[in-house]
Amino acid sequence: MDDPNTPQTPKKSLVNPLIAGASAIAILLGGGTGFWAWNQLNSPQPTVETPSEAPTGTAQQPLSPDVIQETAIQLYWLDENIELVATPATLLEKTGTLEDSLENAIQQLLDGPPDDSYGTTIPEGTELRGVRLEGDGIHVNLSEDFTFGGGTASMSGRVAQILYTATSLNPDGKVWLEIEGQPLEVLGGEGLILDQPLTREGYAQDFPL
C-alpha cells in the first residue's frame, strides 16, 4: 500500500491538439532526405520533430512503431471557411514502411472526415491506386473520380488536401499527382492547371487567396 505521507507525482494529461493548416488552399508540399528516404528531395529542415536517431536507408525500410508515433502523419481537411485543418492519421497496427504509412493515411483521407467538424472536397468514390516514393518525389496515383465535379475552389481544395497530407512529414518536397497512372496537368472543366511536380511554394504562388 502506498504511504499516504508520500507526495504523489501528478499524472500528465495527454493533449492531442488540432493543428491549423495554412489558410485557403495556398499550401503545398515538399520532399526531403535522410530519415524520410525520399532520395535527394532537398529538405533542409522539416517543420516536424524527428527522432534523435533517425533510421537511414531506402523508402522501403521498415519503421518501428515508436518512430511512426513520433512522426505521426496528419490528415488535412477543410473547414467552413475553406481553410485547412489537420488531424492525426490512425497509425498502422503493425510496423510498415514509410510508403505503407503514407498510403494508409491517404486512404483515410479518401474515406472522409471523422465527424461533421471537418469537410472535404474530394469526390466520393475516389480510389487510391497507389503511393510511390521515388528519387524525384512522392507519386500519388488516384482514380479518375478525383477530377469530377466542383468549381475552382473545390478543385484547388482537394488538391491541397491530398498533397499536404502526402507531405505532412516533410513539407519541403515535391509531389507528383497522377490520375490512373498519368500526371495530372489540367483538373476539371474550368481548367485548373497544375505545374508538376507540386510544391507548397509553387502552389501558393499559383493559387493565391
Side-chain angles (χ1 to χ4, degrees):
M1 178 178 300
D2 293 339
D3 187 346
N5 296 319
T6 302
Q8 301 296 310
T9 302
K11 297 182 179 178
K12 297 182 179 179
S13 62
L14 298 178
V15 181
N16 189 7
L18 179 66
I19 304 176
S23 71
I25 338 171
I27 27 191
L28 223 331
L29 328 158
T33 56
F35 166 64
W36 317 121
W38 294 350
N39 299 328
Q40 301 179 6
L41 299 185
N42 299 322
S43 171
Q45 285 190 341
T47 57
V48 297
E49 294 183 0
T50 58
S52 57
E53 295 183 3
T56 59
T58 67
Q60 293 299 320
Q61 179 177 353
L63 301 178
S64 71
D66 290 342
V67 168
I68 295 176
Q69 178 68 50
E70 180 142 354
T71 59
I73 298 171
Q74 300 293 318
L75 306 179
Y76 283 83
W77 312 102
L78 298 170
D79 64 14
E80 59 184 7
N81 298 316
I82 318 296
E83 294 183 348
L84 288 169
V85 291
T87 62
T90 301
L91 302 177
L92 292 170
E93 293 183 2
K94 297 181 179 180
T95 300
T97 65
L98 177 58
E99 195 169 82
D100 292 335
S101 297
L102 286 173
E103 188 166 310
N104 172 60
I106 293 176
Q107 183 59 59
Q108 291 177 49
L109 191 69
L110 299 184
D111 289 341
D115 56 57
D116 294 339
S117 301
Y118 309 99
T120 180
T121 60
I122 298 172
E124 185 176 355
T126 299
E127 298 180 359
L128 179 61
R129 302 299 192 210
V131 175
R132 308 187 315 277
L133 305 184
E134 299 185 358
D136 60 353
I138 309 166
H139 292 248
V140 179
N141 187 15
L142 303 171
S143 68
E144 189 178 7
D145 304 80
F146 184 77
T147 65
F148 297 160
T152 301
S154 172
M155 290 185 290
S156 56
R158 73 188 65 167
V159 170
Q161 284 183 260
I162 292 290
L163 299 180
Y164 207 62
T165 296
T167 57
S168 61
L169 293 182
N170 215 340
D172 296 323
K174 300 174 183 177
V175 174
W176 298 84
L177 186 56
E178 301 173 355
I179 300 298
E180 305 294 354
Q182 300 299 316
L184 179 60
E185 298 177 350
V186 180
L187 177 59
E190 297 186 14
L192 186 72
I193 299 175
L194 300 178
D195 186 15
Q196 304 239 35
L198 297 163
T199 65
R200 268 193 208 178
E201 182 179 4
Y203 199 74
Q205 292 175 356
D206 292 341
F207 305 102
L209 293 179

